[in-house]
Amino acid sequence: MPAITHPNWLLLPRVSAPPLQAQARPVAHVVTAPSLLEGAGFPVRRPFPSREITFRDADPFLLLDHMGAVEYAPGEAKGAPWHPHRGFETVTYIIDGVMQHRDSQGGGGIITDGATQWMTAGSGILHDELPPDDLVRTGGLFHGIQLWVNLPSQLKWTPPRYQSLESQLVTLVTSEYGDTLLRIIAGELDGHQGPGSTRTPVTVIHATLAPGARLRLPWPKFFNALAYVMAGSGTAGPTDILIHEGQGMQFGSGDVLTFSASSNPSGPSAVLELLLLGGKPLHEPIASYGPFVMNTHAEIVQAFQDYQEGRMGTSPATDYHADPF
Ligand code: MN
């Protein structure tokens, strides 16, 4: 995995050890993410929204797609051609490979090898998210995450904006024993701040646990807590529920998140790769249709009209358009 790393985790700042009496948050919901095809037909695993982890369980997060890891054959890589978004933020974290994006405001760029694009769609924007031509031509390894973060009603009409969080900006810290690498992409962990700025309190972390590592992380009581296993296997929560690649979970209340990595992993990954998500729930009604997430059905109808009449912007007329619905 070429996501950002450090040659000696023991040299990194450490998060403080939670007090021994701190209460571990139990695993409330767990799901083995179903596989589906997204965009023009690329495979993803989607732990939420799902029957097991609903919008209400995931609040303030809306959707998580795990793309790959997949070794594309030549000609096989696909993306998501021109489509709109309104009412939330899309967060694209590319661990291996390259994603190219363009938008209806003339913006664009490359997301690769540990970088994150944090896009606030807000009042509305069109974009396309595609593998670059040379990746399509040659094939190759592709691995990433797309996360949707909800916006509260008063921020759904905020102007669109981007944050390009290059991999070298990611804040690297380690656990109390130095056997877990914690990449803070956005928000805060135990006083350590990641580069991504968020519209409501949200923390996004990519954690790598060495074989046999035990992780106890202080986690704000008022934060929701979710985790997703990108690779490897281990346990989660105070009752050591077994977890493996492709599983997502949401935690109940308490003070700390606990995980352990298998000492003798049998699968393809020796380490446990976790995406950790925390955020203050919005507790607002959700009306969701395709690429729009608003509070009421009337706002969805309006979004659909605004998109069709070009008020979210327009894309190059010659390009292929996805049916986003
Ligand atoms: Mn999109």
Side-chain angles (χ1 to χ4, degrees):
M1 280 199 185
I4 192 77
T5 189
H6 191 280
N8 188 349
W9 299 356
L10 295 172
L11 299 177
L12 294 168
R14 297 190 186 202
V15 296
S16 29
L20 284 175
Q21 70 274 21
Q23 195 194 349
R25 295 173 67 144
V27 175
H29 302 100
V30 60
V31 60
T32 299
S35 297
L36 60 146
L37 294 177
E38 189 42 80
F42 61 90
V44 302
R45 282 178 278 186
R46 181 171 295 169
F48 63 83
S50 58
R51 197 166 36 115
E52 294 85 354
I53 302 178
T54 63
F55 280 143
R56 184 197 293 242
D57 299 323
D59 188 10
F61 304 100
L62 294 164
L63 175 146
L64 179 63
D65 275 352
H66 183 205
M67 308 179 281
V70 56
E71 185 76 40
Y72 281 124
E76 199 179 59
K78 294 184 180 71
W82 290 101
H83 59 277
H85 290 296
R86 173 181 279 179
F88 61 101
E89 301 181 290
T90 65
V91 178
T92 307
Y93 174 47
I94 303 297
I95 298 166
D96 290 289
V98 186
M99 178 88 94
Q100 188 178 320
H101 74 96
R102 288 179 298 163
D103 70 58
S104 49
Q105 300 190 339
I110 290 283
I111 319 165
T112 187
D113 292 355
T116 298
Q117 181 207 65
W118 198 292
M119 183 183 89
T120 306
S123 59
I125 193 166
L126 272 63
H127 72 165
D128 74 354
E129 306 160 275
L130 300 171
D133 290 343
D134 52 341
L135 175 64
V136 176
R137 197 164 47 244
T138 59
L141 182 60
F142 184 77
H143 189 201
I145 286 287
Q146 187 165 96
L147 172 70
W148 291 10
V149 183
N150 205 0
L151 288 168
S153 55
Q154 76 271 19
L155 289 174
K156 286 191 182 291
W157 297 94
T158 196
R161 73 162 186 185
Y162 285 105
Q163 299 172 70
S164 292
L165 311 173
E166 298 304 330
S167 60
Q168 67 273 14
L169 299 175
V170 171
T171 303
L172 301 181
V173 299
T174 190
S175 55
E176 54 184 308
Y177 306 119
D179 52 7
T180 296
L181 175 64
L182 296 156
R183 303 170 188 81
I184 309 173
I185 295 168
E188 190 235 31
L189 174 70
D190 188 39
H192 303 274
Q193 190 75 41
S197 116
T198 65
R199 307 307 294 253
T200 62
V202 162
T203 294
V204 176
I205 293 168
H206 172 187
T208 302
L209 284 73
R214 297 195 73 85
L215 177 61
R216 296 170 76 233
L217 277 187
W219 208 253
K221 267 186 192 297
F222 68 93
F223 260 29
N224 198 349
L226 297 114
Y228 176 77
V229 185
M230 297 191 286
S233 61
T235 71
T239 58
D240 291 332
I241 288 172
L242 295 174
I243 57 172
H244 60 75
E245 180 182 324
Q247 289 190 312
M249 65 221 74
Q250 188 243 343
F251 292 83
S253 56
D255 309 304
V256 297
L257 292 183
T258 58
F259 300 94
S260 73
S262 299
S263 322
N264 299 298
S266 53
S269 177
V271 295
L272 177 61
E273 303 276 6
L274 295 173
L275 186 73
L276 305 176
L277 305 172
K280 186 173 183 245
L282 303 180
H283 299 304
E284 288 188 2
I286 290 176
S288 160
Y289 188 66
F292 307 133
V293 182
M294 305 300 287
N295 297 112
T296 66
H297 177 70
E299 290 169 331
I300 291 292
V301 173
Q302 185 186 352
F304 193 70
Q305 283 173 355
D306 287 350
Y307 166 57
Q308 285 191 320
E309 291 164 20
R311 284 189 290 272
M312 292 185 190
T314 52
S315 55
T318 52
D319 276 24
Y320 176 74
H321 290 63
D323 175 2
F325 309 99

